[in-house]
Amino acid sequence: MDTIDLNLLPALDALLTEGSVTAAARRLGLSSSAMSRTLARLRAATGDPLLVRAGRGLVPTPRAIALRERVHVLARDVRAVLSPQDGTLDLATLERTFTIRANEGFIALFSAPLVAAVVATAPHARLRFAPKPVKEAGPLRDGTIDLEIGVLGDFAPEVRTHLLFRDRFVGVVGQGHPLLSAPVTPERYAAARHVVVSRRGQFTGPVDDALETLGLTREIVAVVPGFPDALRIARQSDLVALVTQSCLSDARFEDGLVSFTLPVETPEIAVVALWHPRMEADPGHRWLRETVIAVCGPPRRRRNRRTMAARAPCLLLDAQGMRYRL
């Protein structure tokens, strides 16, 4: 590259297009003498006169005629590559497939409103919802997925995040459960039998840590992979389920169930959208992020105490804790 001066390319394009040193200089904002010196450099670089005198004007050589269209395309492409990206986006004509990686709970509650929002503004765009068999940043880095939904925690250091909403754990029992016959204290809660959620089959989590500080332990009878499983067991048995409050937003799981505030403190759950910085300035990806944030943002408070966290996903956390992402 030491012998190639790409600054000559727009000058050559102007000269071959205008066929005049004066007009080319005016087009590039240069003096006629500066453009004449540039023409001399171009003749030396190409080994061709390019423009020769014909009467009072200049005419192109055969080589210049052969290069004219090619040079114009090259100059246009160079300007496009080395200029800031146009931030405008025509959603009416956008044809693009976006991939969102999330767990089943998020997809169950948010896929329909997300698709509706996308179709309403970008009718030719498509959404692909991908499962989360493992937690890794590779698909974000290589562009396999555009956006990931997860719990705020350790992740690849360069990944960008935006808070969607916050969630918390609650206890759930079947209607008429003896635990609700009196205030739920740590002692009465620990004395009950429990079903917990863990993708890795672990029996303990933050609730057990909190109980341990009080000198209490609870009896865990069953471990299931998802919150819907825990809710079904709680409805049909005397076991106490620990779920995220957002799970109760799904009416299918509310019949025959009653939720209550835990008698111990547990960490708050921050649900975020994650993306790689390589997509930060992309107009289409920015629109996708804004759409997800608008649809999945903090819900409005409702009067029904059992559904105050409506429109948020069931979070699949290992051992009902903060250690593992959606």
Side-chain angles (χ1 to χ4, degrees):
M1 296 297 293
D2 292 341
T3 60
I4 299 176
D5 185 357
L6 290 181
N7 290 313
L8 295 176
L9 186 61
L12 179 59
D13 180 41
L15 286 165
L16 297 183
T17 300
E18 301 292 344
S20 164
V21 171
T22 301
R26 189 182 306 113
R27 177 174 173 177
L28 296 182
L30 300 175
S31 65
S32 295
S33 59
M35 182 55 71
S36 294
R37 291 192 296 270
T38 301
L39 176 57
R41 294 178 59 195
L42 284 166
R43 286 168 170 166
T46 61
D48 189 88
L50 297 174
L51 296 173
V52 297
R53 181 68 59 182
R56 302 181 62 181
L58 297 174
V59 294
T61 65
R63 174 79 188 280
I65 294 173
L67 288 176
R68 184 159 48 200
E69 183 61 29
R70 183 179 176 188
V71 167
H72 182 69
V73 172
L74 285 173
R76 181 192 62 196
D77 291 345
V78 168
R79 285 193 295 269
V81 169
L82 299 181
S83 300
Q85 185 176 16
D86 184 2
T88 60
L89 184 67
D90 185 1
L91 294 175
T93 60
L94 178 65
E95 295 185 9
R96 185 167 170 180
T97 299
F98 297 99
T99 301
I100 300 176
R101 187 167 71 171
N103 77 336
E104 293 180 358
F106 181 91
I107 295 172
L109 290 178
F110 282 117
S111 59
L114 275 175
V115 169
V118 167
V119 170
T121 54
H124 302 292
R126 300 186 300 177
L127 289 182
R128 177 191 294 117
F129 292 95
K132 298 183 64 171
V134 294
K135 302 179 295 295
E136 59 179 8
L140 283 175
R141 287 171 170 160
D142 62 24
T144 304
I145 63 173
D146 296 288
L147 202 64
E148 178 154 352
I149 309 300
V151 173
L152 187 61
D154 294 334
F155 211 76
E158 77 273 20
V159 169
R160 307 289 174 84
T161 65
H162 183 94
L163 177 67
L164 294 180
F165 59 88
R166 300 182 185 277
D167 207 349
R168 66 187 182 93
F169 290 111
V170 296
V172 176
V173 293
Q175 289 182 352
H177 195 285
L179 185 61
L180 301 181
S181 61
V184 181
T185 63
E187 292 76 14
R188 296 186 67 242
Y189 177 78
R193 302 194 307 164
H194 299 261
V195 53
V196 301
V197 177
S198 172
R199 289 187 298 174
R200 297 191 176 185
Q202 297 183 0
F203 280 79
T204 59
V207 169
D208 302 280
D209 296 338
L211 289 173
E212 186 178 2
T213 63
L214 301 175
L216 301 171
T217 59
R218 59 176 177 164
E219 179 185 0
I220 298 176
V221 176
V223 178
V224 292
F227 289 121
D229 307 308
L231 291 171
R232 280 189 288 269
I233 291 175
R235 184 187 295 113
Q236 301 175 30
S237 71
D238 65 347
L239 299 188
V240 179
L242 184 74
V243 303
T244 54
Q245 188 179 41
S246 59
C247 290
L248 303 182
S249 64
D250 195 331
R252 293 176 302 170
F253 302 136
E254 290 187 6
D255 294 339
L257 294 173
V258 179
S259 64
F260 61 90
T261 300
L262 295 177
V264 294
E265 292 292 330
T266 57
E268 188 179 55
I269 305 168
V271 181
V272 298
L274 305 100
W275 65 93
H276 197 271
R278 63 192 290 270
M279 305 301 295
E280 181 75 17
D282 180 79
H285 195 277
R286 183 169 59 250
W287 167 77
L288 172 67
R289 299 194 304 266
E290 292 172 352
T291 302
V292 171
I293 291 168
V295 172
C296 308
R300 295 180 179 179
R301 186 176 296 274
R302 297 188 177 184
R303 294 181 180 179
N304 187 336
R305 295 179 61 189
R306 294 194 303 165
T307 59
M308 288 175 59
R311 304 302 303 278
C314 294
L315 308 179
L316 298 181
L317 307 180
D318 238 278
Q320 71 275 8
M322 293 282 288
R323 299 189 181 96
Y324 301 94
R325 258 171 298 278
L326 281 155

